[in-house]
Amino acid sequence: MNANFNKTRSNKWLLTLLAFLPVGAFAAGPPQPSSLSLPVTQLMVVIIIFLLIAIVLLANVLVGAAKIKLQEEKAATEKKKNNNTPALMMIGAMSLLSLNAFGADNPTPETVTPASYGGLTPVGYFTLAGVVLLELLILLLLIYNIKFLLRKQRTGIAEREDTVALAHKPNAFKTWWANINRFKPIKEEAEIDLGHDYDGIRELDNRLPPWWLYGFYASIIFAGIYLVRYHVLHSAPLSKEELQISLAKAEAEKQAYLKKSKANVDENTVKYLTDPADLEAGKQIFTTTCTACHLADGGGLVGPNLTDDYWLHGCSIQDIFKSIKYGWPEKGMKSWKDDYSPLQIEQIASYVKSLHGTKPKTPKEPQGTLCTDQGSATTTDSTQKSAAAIQ
């Protein structure tokens, strides 16, 4: 392919030289004064030669650029052989025009006419001018094509560079992490090497990571604020004070809960009420309901005496609550759970418990077993106590 290209270039130069051979070599007859001796002709010939040289040079540049472009695009090799055909055809055409411009028949004294364009005939002058214009047009066309190829090549290079840059673009997170920690590249570790080597482990004078330093500074600021607020200004409670506040709050919540849960009391959760209001409420119910069997002072009538230490079914607050709630139908005492609320039964049981140790007017003889204040019954019954008293 290179041999064909060199051969084509040689043919092009040969045609260019042939275009400017003296016309007298081809004219028949005796020698006549040549048109090349005229200043106008010489000037235009010089212009044509310079334009041809510029065309040849630009054609070579264009051919080289086209060749590179075709190689990049892997075009067919046959197309490369014909790249110079238009230029050669143009040079051949200009050669013919030059020959026509300089070639003339043997003039005779009768047919010679005076030159009107610097000694040139109108046909010769306009022919040379046309050749100059045509060469200028070809020159402009070659310049445009070269600019077009260069612009296209720059665009391709820019696209390839963008593709490569995008493919090798570093990870944004890794870049940010390396910057915030100020990592030193391996190739720069020699600058911070302290010269201490222990079994292949080198000591480097690395700076502390900024996030660690900022965290340390923030902890110092926090400690100062904490000291001033808790130990100087006392504008916030300390840990012990917070505990006391929490305990007081829990106690208040507990009391509120107990106050709300009194209506849900049963024989397992009943408590002995010492509040005068609760005892008075229990006394009123006892007076209107229980005096028929136990009398108003609890001395006992049909039912047992409620003031002594002897009880038939236990003397604890739980036992008394259970006896009132469920009753003892086999002994004539009904269940009061459907008549009174759990809170009212608790109030009645607390009032009955408060009658222990009082002195009724007509106390009934003891019944049941001896029961201590702790609610535990002994094995000694009332009959044994009476016998012991008689003895």
Side-chain angles (χ1 to χ4, degrees):
M1 183 176 63
N2 292 332
N4 293 332
F5 184 76
N6 294 329
K7 183 178 180 181
T8 303
R9 178 178 296 179
S10 300
N11 294 334
K12 181 171 56 179
W13 282 104
L14 182 60
L15 290 175
T16 303
L17 295 175
L18 290 176
F20 299 102
L21 288 176
V23 180
F26 301 95
Q32 298 292 333
S34 175
S35 299
L36 290 176
S37 61
L38 298 175
V40 175
T41 305
Q42 294 175 357
L43 177 62
M44 298 190 74
V45 168
V46 170
I47 294 174
I48 290 173
I49 291 174
F50 276 109
L51 290 177
L52 281 175
I53 293 173
I55 290 173
V56 171
L57 294 176
L58 291 178
N60 288 331
V61 172
L62 183 61
V63 169
K67 182 179 179 181
I68 295 174
K69 190 65 180 177
L70 290 175
Q71 288 178 352
E72 290 178 353
E73 297 177 355
K74 297 181 179 180
T77 55
E78 290 78 9
K79 295 182 180 180
K80 298 179 182 178
K81 297 179 181 180
N82 300 324
N83 284 335
N84 294 327
T85 301
L88 295 177
M89 292 177 63
M90 187 61 62
I91 294 173
M94 289 186 292
S95 300
L96 293 177
L97 290 174
S98 301
L99 291 175
N100 290 330
F102 298 110
D105 294 336
N106 288 329
T108 59
E110 292 78 10
T111 58
V112 173
T113 57
S116 58
Y117 295 97
L120 287 175
T121 61
V123 175
Y125 177 80
F126 286 112
T127 301
L128 291 176
V131 171
V132 172
L133 292 176
L134 182 61
E135 289 180 342
L136 289 174
L137 181 61
I138 295 173
L139 191 63
L140 293 175
L141 183 62
L142 290 174
I143 293 173
Y144 173 78
N145 287 325
I146 291 174
K147 287 185 176 181
F148 174 77
L149 289 176
L150 291 176
R151 183 169 58 252
K152 190 172 182 181
Q153 187 175 10
R154 284 196 297 267
T155 303
I157 293 174
E159 291 178 353
R160 287 194 297 270
E161 289 179 352
D162 293 340
T163 304
V164 173
L166 185 62
H168 293 82
K169 185 178 180 180
N171 184 276
F173 175 77
K174 292 182 178 179
T175 303
W176 172 81
W177 184 251
N179 291 335
I180 197 174
N181 287 281
R182 299 180 182 177
F183 290 145
K184 277 282 188 180
I186 297 178
K187 60 183 180 180
E188 299 180 8
E189 286 185 352
E191 301 176 1
I192 57 175
D193 194 341
L194 297 179
H196 301 158
D197 193 332
Y198 307 94
D199 296 333
I201 302 174
R202 294 182 299 145
E203 182 180 0
L204 303 179
D205 187 19
N206 282 310
R207 297 184 60 184
L208 290 173
W211 61 266
W212 191 95
L213 287 175
Y214 297 151
F216 180 68
Y217 298 151
S219 64
I220 295 175
I221 296 173
F222 175 80
I225 296 174
Y226 183 90
L227 177 65
V228 173
R229 182 178 182 185
Y230 287 90
H231 297 279
V232 177
L233 301 178
H234 300 285
S235 59
L238 296 173
S239 300
K240 185 177 181 179
E241 295 172 348
E242 287 182 352
L243 176 61
Q244 294 173 352
I245 294 172
S246 299
L247 291 176
K249 183 179 179 181
E251 184 64 23
E253 292 176 353
K254 176 182 177 182
Q255 295 300 328
Y257 171 77
L258 292 176
K259 186 176 181 180
K260 293 179 181 179
S261 63
K262 283 184 178 180
N264 299 325
V265 68
D266 58 14
E267 58 272 17
N268 297 318
T269 60
V270 63
K271 303 293 182 182
Y272 176 61
L273 304 177
T274 58
D275 188 13
D278 292 325
L279 295 176
E280 183 62 27
K283 180 180 179 180
Q284 292 178 2
I285 297 173
F286 182 87
T287 302
T288 58
T289 304
C290 304
T291 54
C293 296
H294 298 282
L295 296 179
D297 55 5
L301 185 60
V302 178
N305 185 358
L306 302 176
T307 62
D308 57 14
D309 295 332
Y310 292 86
W311 294 77
L312 295 173
H313 306 291
C315 63
S316 66
I317 188 67
Q318 290 82 7
D319 294 332
I320 299 172
F321 182 92
K322 185 177 180 181
S323 297
I324 298 172
K325 181 178 180 180
Y326 298 107
W328 298 97
E330 67 277 6
K331 295 183 180 180
M333 182 176 178
K334 61 168 292 187
S335 170
W336 297 98
K337 65 180 181 179
D338 297 329
D339 298 281
Y340 300 106
S341 66
L343 177 59
Q344 290 175 319
I345 296 176
E346 185 179 31
Q347 292 172 342
I348 298 171
S350 297
Y351 176 72
V352 171
K353 185 71 174 174
S354 67
L355 292 175
H356 177 262
T358 59
K359 303 297 181 180
K361 293 181 180 180
T362 56
K364 189 177 180 179
E365 293 182 359
Q367 293 176 282
T369 59
L370 180 64
C371 184
T372 62
D373 291 340
Q374 288 75 20
S376 59
T378 63
T379 57
T380 305
D381 58 18
S382 59
T383 55
Q384 293 176 344
K385 180 179 180 182
S386 299
I390 294 173
Q391 292 176 356

